[in-house]
Amino acid sequence: MENELAQYSPEELISEVKTIVSNQGLNEEGFERIGNLLHKLASRSDLKSIGEHRGKGVNAVDSYVLYRDDEPGGPIIILAEFDKPTKIHNHGTWGVMCAYEGREKYKQWERTDSGDDPGKAELRLITDIVMEEGDIVWWPDVPNDIHMQDPIDTSMWQLVLMGRNTLGGDEEHYDPDLGLRWPADIPPHMRSSKTRG
Ligand SMILES: [Fe+2]
């Protein structure tokens, strides 16, 4: 049984995720089921060796791509390392995350404004938790895909499934106290369509 679980692949996971999304959409039950699949994949200890090394991202200090869809805008799975708090950011897509190595504080916000005012964003904190290895969290689709990660240990690795590959797109950063949002500072070489974000 352990051996079987150890062989669970990113491709199998994505195939099951696509079925869940088309059958029941992105409701809480669907997110929970996807989270359980991600947890199952995170039980493999060899994820770094099966991934494609991608290196530094906008927030991550190192990362591997475990799955990239053939369809533009299809899902992507990334194993990412963080060694300091991220900015408060969005991804332009829904996502599910499982703590792989190490612990972190995780916060998530929802938008309470209409989103029409450029540069402005009113946010309400809805999640403020500590994630231990194996814990799962998910964020819904735009506009409530706003969150931040803050590693508790010197470094931590997260397994992240994003519903659509939007990395290097139009990510924003936020300051909830000032009610502001602005374009993320993404270096040009991370903006290619090949997901260098
Ligand atoms: Fe994120």
Side-chain angles (χ1 to χ4, degrees):
M1 188 66 182
E2 238 181 64
N3 225 3
E4 242 170 65
L5 283 179
Q7 295 310 311
Y8 186 60
S9 71
E11 290 73 21
E12 284 175 86
L13 184 148
I14 290 293
S15 156
E16 291 182 75
V17 166
K18 286 180 175 175
T19 304
I20 292 169
V21 172
S22 71
N23 285 353
Q24 64 184 96
L26 288 169
N27 54 22
E28 285 297 291
E29 192 196 332
F31 276 126
E32 190 170 352
R33 291 181 62 195
I34 294 169
N36 289 337
L37 298 177
L38 210 59
H39 181 91
K40 189 169 151 189
L41 183 62
S43 73
R44 288 182 65 152
S45 58
D46 62 347
L47 290 185
K48 287 172 203 163
S49 64
I50 67 166
E52 166 200 329
H53 192 237
R54 167 180 167 264
K56 194 170 156 37
V58 175
N59 288 302
V61 67
D62 196 6
S63 61
Y64 295 84
V65 176
L66 290 165
Y67 178 89
R68 184 186 277 127
D69 212 68
D70 293 335
E71 293 289 319
I76 185 166
I77 303 176
I78 290 181
L79 184 64
E81 181 186 24
F82 301 90
D83 64 354
K84 57 179 180 298
T86 66
K87 298 246 173 65
I88 300 171
H89 63 279
N90 70 349
H91 288 289
T93 178
W94 61 272
V96 182
M97 193 160 80
C98 181
Y100 187 62
E101 289 175 9
R103 300 171 300 151
E104 71 171 26
K105 290 182 263 182
Y106 174 86
K107 290 181 183 173
Q108 187 174 315
W109 289 261
E110 65 179 16
R111 288 285 291 267
T112 57
D113 63 325
S114 66
D116 295 337
D117 215 345
K120 303 256 171 72
E122 284 169 29
L123 304 185
R124 186 165 71 92
L125 183 67
I126 55 163
T127 303
D128 186 353
I129 56 171
V130 169
M131 292 184 71
E132 309 273 349
E133 284 179 17
D135 287 353
I136 295 155
V137 78
W138 56 83
W139 58 86
D141 215 331
V142 178
N144 294 316
D145 57 330
I146 300 167
H147 56 264
M148 78 169 285
Q149 291 114 281
D150 182 1
I152 294 169
D153 307 311
T154 39
S155 132
M156 76 95 53
W157 286 85
Q158 284 279 10
L159 186 58
V160 187
L161 161 65
M162 290 207 252
R164 295 182 299 277
N165 183 353
T166 54
L167 294 175
D170 299 318
E171 290 103 322
E172 291 183 318
H173 291 158
Y174 301 83
D175 186 326
D177 296 330
L178 297 176
L180 298 176
R181 62 184 164 115
W182 60 93
D185 182 19
I186 302 172
H189 72 277
M190 288 184 183
R191 282 195 179 274
S192 83
S193 57
K194 291 236 165 139
T195 320
R196 297 285 307 170

